[in-house]
Amino acid sequence: MAHRTTTIKRAAVAGGALAVAALLSVAVAADAGTSSKRSEFPQGDDPVHLDPADFSAEIDNHRWPMTVGSRWVYRVTDSADGSKQRDVIKVTDQTKMMGDGIEARVVRDIVRDHGKPTEVTRDWYAQDSHGNVWYFGEHTIAYRHGKPHDNGSWQAGVDGAMPGLALPAKPKVGMSYREEYSKGEAEDQSRVIRLDAQAEVPAGHYTHVLMTEDFSPIEPKVSELKFYAKGSGQAVLAVDVSGGSEREELVKYTH
């Protein structure tokens, strides 16, 4: 799921630094092998024209189903200071009409530290007729010393912001796409690295996992690997390989 400044769902990858380095070398090779091809999805600030009739708030992408009532619980750990948080994501029965006339599903995301909310977000998603899941923005409030502050909220169709792809229906190694675009605020991009990865988290062991790398031109030192398993919804785990020290792993998924 696209998310404020590439901080989505972080978790450790078995194998340590050498494994991460090897995975990144695959990413570089994949990118080099496809750099001459134009992606079918928007990149950077590419304009995009979407037909509302081609979209639905009913999302059943097999790697990212968003059935109303589905709930994900994550454990978040920061190795820099040892802090731990709990992140709960739930698909609501609510929808929101976006500026371009597309009806999007509202997904609630609450991060808590010792029971107190540190960040509360409502994300907006919709799926096109090909099964691609699109991301249309977020309303995010962070709590600092108990006081609420906007933390990078944006909405497609407002002030030049544009939607991006949360997850393709038919990912291919080397495929790249924009996840979100709000100039200077949210410019996350992603590329597909592997289709056959494995991931083990408290929620279980997953095979045939899609692995992507997230990066952003406004945070050039930040790089994150994310892992999507069939039927799991959201990312089951992710790992910062540069510019961060948090990890987040899926503990429980109910739907």
Side-chain angles (χ1 to χ4, degrees), residues 2 12 15 22 50 53 80 100 120 128 137 151 162 173 185 189 196 216-217 237:
L50 305 178
D100 50 12
V120 177
D128 67 25
N151 195 37
M162 295 181 288
V173 172
E185 187 67 50
Q189 300 181 64
D196 60 351
S216 171
L237 85 113

Side-chain angles (χ1 to χ4, degrees), residues 83-252:
S83 63
K84 295 183 179 180
Q85 294 182 314
R86 175 184 170 93
D87 189 1
V88 178
I89 299 173
K90 186 175 182 178
V91 180
T92 75
D93 60 0
Q94 302 172 355
T95 61
K96 179 178 176 63
M97 190 65 67
M98 309 312 296
D100 50 12
I102 292 174
E103 185 179 20
R105 177 64 57 192
V106 178
V107 177
R108 187 180 63 200
D109 184 343
I110 302 178
V111 180
R112 288 186 171 87
D113 185 355
H114 294 90
K116 296 182 179 180
T118 60
E119 190 171 75
V120 177
T121 301
R122 289 183 180 272
D123 294 299
W124 307 308
Y125 299 91
Q127 181 174 292
D128 67 25
S129 59
H130 299 290
N132 303 302
V133 180
W134 290 74
Y135 184 48
F136 289 84
E138 63 186 81
H139 180 264
T140 302
I141 298 296
Y143 291 86
R144 304 186 186 99
H145 306 294
K147 296 182 179 180
H149 301 270
D150 183 86
N151 195 37
S153 299
W154 67 278
Q155 180 178 330
V158 177
D159 296 329
M162 295 181 288
L165 201 70
L167 203 67
K170 298 179 179 180
K172 298 178 182 179
V173 172
M175 176 184 287
S176 64
Y177 47 89
R178 172 181 78 216
E179 290 189 313
E180 56 187 3
Y181 184 78
S182 178
K183 187 175 181 179
E185 187 67 50
E187 298 186 26
D188 289 9
Q189 300 181 64
S190 186
R191 60 174 161 241
V192 176
I193 298 175
R194 293 183 62 178
L195 304 176
D196 60 351
Q198 296 187 59
E200 186 165 358
V201 293
H205 179 260
Y206 300 90
T207 59
H208 305 292
V209 174
L210 167 67
M211 181 174 70
T212 66
E213 182 194 12
D214 277 16
F215 54 97
S216 171
I218 59 178
E219 291 185 298
K221 293 184 178 181
V222 174
S223 179
E224 176 186 58
L225 299 180
K226 294 191 293 187
F227 297 75
Y228 299 90
K230 292 182 179 179
S232 67
Q234 304 289 332
V236 296
L237 85 113
V239 57
D240 287 330
V241 293
S242 178
S245 56
E246 286 185 344
R247 68 182 186 185
E248 186 167 337
E249 49 197 333
L250 182 64
V251 173
K252 187 178 182 180

